[in-house]
């Protein structure tokens, strides 16, 4: 009886180091690390006609945790926010690095850093280490243009109209492909994101687990809300 | 007959280095190290309305040991205390590092270091080494605000109202979730922590094994007590 | 019963590191990495009588992706374009390196870099690491002479009249060998490349997945087109 | 039939490097090295009301050895003595290091080094290498306070009223716990230590194998004796 | 039944690193790499009474390749040519190195480099890496003396009257031993080399696959020819 | 049937690196290296009432060897001699190092180096490398006091009245323990050493294989003799 | 049935790295490398009453090789010659190093280097790498004293009256032991060496394969001869 090819490759050891190709040309450790990313809690990012929004599931049910200390949406600069799924400690270090990168850009060029330069620096750092820190979602304003970038763990990134990282990312993206429209406003995008989480999480959905942050083109400030306040946007 | 997945992964060697992912996306060495942390003796930290307190089980029954040399609660600075569960020698080195970090902060900025900067430095050090030194509990005053932080072995940390590290941490947290209230005073929190240890340790509970340290918002000094004196607080 | 030689070599471990020879004198990891290259989407490059053209399959069907952010054809300098098949993150880093190399050449010698110097620098970088970044296609003008270079993953490169990288490269080359003529103009070469993709992809062919870039000898500028606009060239 | 868990872990290779955790969270190489320490000959250290004493079994029966060259009790400084069980060559190098550390302290601060600073430096050195040099016993005067420190091989140390390292350390400690009193004088402590060795070694006990060194609070000098002279103290 | 010694050594792993001796005193990885060299296309070098000549099989049947970009005979300096069989990318880097070495020699000593210094530098580079880049054939003029050197992959080299590298090298050498005469002129040596290839390749022989380069003692210039032009020499 | 513990440990690989402990707390590679030492030819060193002597078996039966080039007793300084058993090439390098150390001491302090400083430097060098160079016997004068030191391969050393290294060392030491007396003069010690070799080597004993060197307290010069001349001392 | 100890050790992997001891205390990789040395062609060196001579088998039967380029006897300095058996490329690099060492000595001390300093430098280089370059034979004049040194692959060396390296070295040495006399003149030693090769090689002996070099005490110049000219000495 033939063994499945996956099991064979595991027994042959092709999945033991990050830079070894399997006979089919796959990097198996990278594929395993992608599963780690999908064990993390989810974030949805949506480019809107009037700005950009990220809604994140904090998935913190422990009442002993000070919720404000468990933010999933981080500020890189006053016009750029980020969310991560994967190894949290690696991600925190990378977020702190990008905060410095953004400040240096502001000081050097006397203008805010473009969001793409942030995701590119994250991606380059990851590429050096083959895999590092999980999936990153960067949302920000490039002048008055809202932009959303997502990088995978190998350091590859693309720009998106809307996207999701973490648990159930594929299911969320399917719904987004169906319901996303370019003329969504921030309030409508917020409502859409909440509806998606309700559909996915069903009876486990709890508004208190969620956190939102958005930037609108006009005042260019990061606005944050948590729990029931999200529904008031 | 199928082998359990755990045994399979051990036989495949996925648990032999700290940075190798298993096919399910787990870092098994990190999970094993977390078990080491749970072999250590326990500490309970509680944020109170009037300060913050850590109660630690020194678990030293050997009468040959000079008990004062076996403190589980360490002073990082005059407004910050720490307790650790895990590899003691690694922890001692990290505690000494933070004492220096705190002094440098005082000298550089002419104000006491925030407790979060201490836990962040600990967490960053751990992240560099993937796993290092066990779980850290940092309790301190940020101005007049009592704060409690706990980091796991990978370098991830959060702020808590109350938490426990070491042996039986999950059971202790369950009781804390049920009985913790934000208006606990230092004496009431001390009583709660002692009651929890009595409930968990049953006939093994011995007041002489315990050590307490607390900071109250007013005089901002570390107060320590041991054995029967704890019950007098 | 004899085991096939491939399986034997895998079991003996000859395919575990990039620089180990098998008893037959093969570098197996290099051969596996070549399969990775063939998992990437394809590009066709054609030297024309009046310039040079690259047509690439972006293979992006996800409507959430901002297509302009997913270009497969990159600008190295105003007279050189490049396309890659393989590990995308490695390739991006190498493309950025060549952009700098081209600028430095312009500044140092006050004339545009020859396309061959670009592919040679890419090839040298790959040779240092034994395998790196996938197959590169470089198309550009050397003065008024259109030139097309392709390097394999080991850092070996040659000049071609026409060539293909990525999925189905062998099939595409077969058709090119049959239909390529030296007097093809850019519009005719574009038509030929599209026809080849239609023949290969059959019912999966979708003009919206494609991207083209060309340089003509006269105005020496990179011209780009996407989707239906390609057919208008 | 189930294999014992120890044998399983050995076969899985969890005990092959010093920093690999077993699935139960143990560092097996560290545990093996502790056995090496218990293969070494024993020393007993006792804090007395009038000073501090170490009695060591030199276990040298070879008459060809010049006994004075085989001292088990080393002088770190004029107020600190040390004994070691484990890898002798590593220990010698560490003892020499501490002699220098003590001299540097005297020169820098113009006062004798505290015994705890010596054991801390030894412990830090061990922690850096995970395991190194065996168990150290440091006995000395901190001003007029006699102090006894023992570090295990991982670099963890504590202060003791009395303790033992090397062969049969657990049995010796059991007797010490029973018979040690804080008001022991140096002569009484010496008698107690000799009695313990007689009880443990039975017919193998030979006074000529032993070496003693003590410091009394008054004259603060290291006094040494060997063989029958020990009984005259 | 006994296993053949080759298979035994492979199973024992003696062939896994370049510097491990087998129990018979062989370096097996070196022997495997020599097979790689024999997978490359062949070159014949012949010292003539009036100069020196290399005839190479380019073995390029793909009509898409620009043949002039696929030269097998490289110019090191105006009086030295080289051909290689083995890992092409390694060889290219080494050829470029020797071009610089030759220029530096000319500048430093104001006279052309001796061909032996080139092969010695190649051999030294190979020796450092144990195996590197395949077999090199260096043909050149030392003053008016034509010289031919060939190095194997370990960095050992010798001077030859005539020699071959690559596929079927042993068969070619056998014919050379029989038919080579010291009074061969360049045209006669060219004819001999072509005849040998015809004899070896039989119906696969195709004059268009070949490339020649020679240096005659008088004008001391490299002359090149391809395809049918070779037969006109 | 149980496998012997030795074979088990070999199969488990505990004996593959110099710093891995077996489950019993042994360093097996060190124990194997000690066997190498016992494959070397023997030397006997004896402290005498009037000086110190080393008698060495050169074990050179090949008449083609220039015997004076095969001395087993080396001069470290004019008052210190040394003999080694084990890896000869490592030992030679260490001997040369000590000759320099001795000269530097003489120049720096204007007095001859103590023999113990030489053996300590040898031992420290060995300790750094865990195992290195075999067993060393150092014999010399400390002022007018003859001293004999022997270090094992781990870098541990002691002072001896008499000792042996190399083949049959244990048997030789047994006889020395029985027959050594502190009032032996150099001639008597020489006779004793020769008798021991005769007893051990029986019919293989051949005076021509031996070499002696001694230092007497009075003239403090190294005196050497070989073969039959030894018997005349 | 018991497996032979050799096979057992191979299966246990004791022969996989150069510095691992087998349970019997052997360094197996070193022993394998010694077999490589015996695969090389042989040289005989003989100290004569009037000088010193080396006769080497070049073992080159390929008529395509320029014999003068395949010298087995190398000049280190005008008074020192060398021959090697083993890895030829390593040896060439070491020979070149010694040529420089000899020149530096001449320049620094204004006198020719002693042959022993050359073999010592070779031996030290080998000792650093545990095994390197095969067996070296160094023959030269120390003032008017002819000296012959041979080092094995570990870096151990001795002085000899006569010796052989390479194929059949043991057989050659047996004959040398029998027939060598200290009063041999260069012509007689040459004849002896030729006779030995004839006896060993029987019908394979061919004078054209041989090369000789000698130094006589009077004119102190290296004289070389090849083939039939050897018999005229």
């Amino acid at each position: 009886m033939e063994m499945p090819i996956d099991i064979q490759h595991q027994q042959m050891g092709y999945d033991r180091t990050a830079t070894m190709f399997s006979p089919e040309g796959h990097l198996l450790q990278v594929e395993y690390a992608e599963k780690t990313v999908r064990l993390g809690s989810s974030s949805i990012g949506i480019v809107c006609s009037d700005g950009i929004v990220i809604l994140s599931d904090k998935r913190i049910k422990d009442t002993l945790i000070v919720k404000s200390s468990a933010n999933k949406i981080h500020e890189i600069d006053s016009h750029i926010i980020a969310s991560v799924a994967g190894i949290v400690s690696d991600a925190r270090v990378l977020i702190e690095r990008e905060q410095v990168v953004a400040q240096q850009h502001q000081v050097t060029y006397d203008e805010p850093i473009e969001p793409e330069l942030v995701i590119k620096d994250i991606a380059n750092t990851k590429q050096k280490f083959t895999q590092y820190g999980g999936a990153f979602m960067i949302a920000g304003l490039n002048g008055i243009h809202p932009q959303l970038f997502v990088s995978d763990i190998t350091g590859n990134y693309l720009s998106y109209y809307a996207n999701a990282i973490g648990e159930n990312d594929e299911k969320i993206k399917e719904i987004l492909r169906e319901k996303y429209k370019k003329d969504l406003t921030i309030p409508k995008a917020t409502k859409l994101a909440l509806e998606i989480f309700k559909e996915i999480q069903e009876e486990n959905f709890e508004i208190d687990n969620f956190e939102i942050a958005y930037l609108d083109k006009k005042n260019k400030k990061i606005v944050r809300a948590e729990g029931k306040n999200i529904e008031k946007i």
Side-chain angles (χ1 to χ4, degrees), chain A:
Chain A
M1 198 198 76
E2 266 300 87
M3 251 192 305
I5 193 80
D6 267 26
I7 303 298
Q8 277 181 38
H9 284 174
Q10 289 170 14
Q11 291 200 342
M12 303 292 275
Y14 294 118
D15 57 353
R16 294 311 191 281
T17 65
T19 56
M20 199 200 301
F21 289 90
S22 77
E24 272 70 38
H26 292 266
L27 290 169
L28 296 175
Q29 269 289 308
V30 169
E31 294 177 7
Y32 295 174
E34 279 166 356
K35 287 189 190 160
T36 306
V37 169
R38 293 208 169 97
L39 297 173
S41 67
S42 326
S43 294
I44 298 177
I46 301 178
V47 174
C48 308
S49 58
D50 56 346
I52 190 154
V53 62
I54 294 180
L55 181 70
S56 292
D57 178 7
K58 298 168 79 162
R59 209 168 52 181
I60 289 170
K61 285 161 194 168
D62 188 345
T63 54
L64 295 174
I65 295 174
V66 179
K67 285 208 174 177
S68 65
S69 86
N71 279 344
K72 284 272 301 178
I73 309 179
H74 308 276
E75 179 177 335
I76 302 282
D77 200 347
S78 66
H79 64 301
I80 301 179
I81 53 180
S83 190
V84 190
I87 311 281
V88 183
S89 51
D90 284 4
R92 186 173 47 70
V93 170
L94 215 41
I95 292 285
E96 286 174 18
R97 174 190 162 94
E98 294 315 315
Q99 289 166 343
V100 174
V101 165
Q103 285 169 30
Q104 287 174 335
H105 187 101
Q106 178 70 48
V107 167
T108 312
Y109 301 104
D110 198 23
E111 60 176 29
I113 194 169
E114 288 175 47
E116 186 165 4
L117 292 183
V118 170
I119 194 79
K120 190 182 275 189
D121 188 74
I122 288 169
N124 284 354
T125 304
K126 285 175 175 180
Q127 187 268 345
K128 274 188 215 131
F129 296 91
T130 309
Q131 61 185 39
Y132 188 95
F136 274 76
M137 174 177 281
I138 296 289
L141 292 175
N142 180 2
I144 60 158
H145 304 294
Q147 292 181 322
L148 179 71
F149 295 96
V150 171
S151 86
D152 68 16
I153 62 151
T154 68
N156 193 16
Y157 73 87
L158 285 171
S159 176
Y160 293 87
Y161 298 112
N163 205 351
I165 56 173
E167 203 181 19
N168 293 311
D169 62 341
E170 286 306 338
K171 284 194 204 162
I172 298 173
K173 282 191 238 180
E174 233 170 282
I175 309 178
L176 281 172
R177 272 180 214 114
E178 196 186 323
K179 301 200 171 162
Y180 175 77
K181 285 169 196 162
K182 291 194 180 173
D183 60 1
L184 284 174
T185 56
I186 291 171
K188 282 187 183 159
T190 304
K191 192 172 274 180
L192 172 58
L194 278 177
E195 271 163 19
I196 292 174
F197 273 121
K198 279 178 197 159
E199 190 177 332
I200 299 283
Q201 300 189 347
E202 297 177 357
E203 71 278 9
N204 294 318
F205 179 84
E206 226 175 301
I207 189 68
D208 282 350
N209 280 332
F210 287 88
E211 171 192 8
I212 200 167
Y214 62 84
L215 278 149
D216 78 46
K217 290 178 179 187
K218 273 192 211 144
N219 52 33
K220 297 184 182 187
K221 293 241 168 71
I222 298 169
V223 184
R224 288 173 175 278
E226 293 200 336
K228 303 239 146 116
N229 290 324
I230 300 174
E231 292 168 332
K232 295 177 193 156
I233 292 168

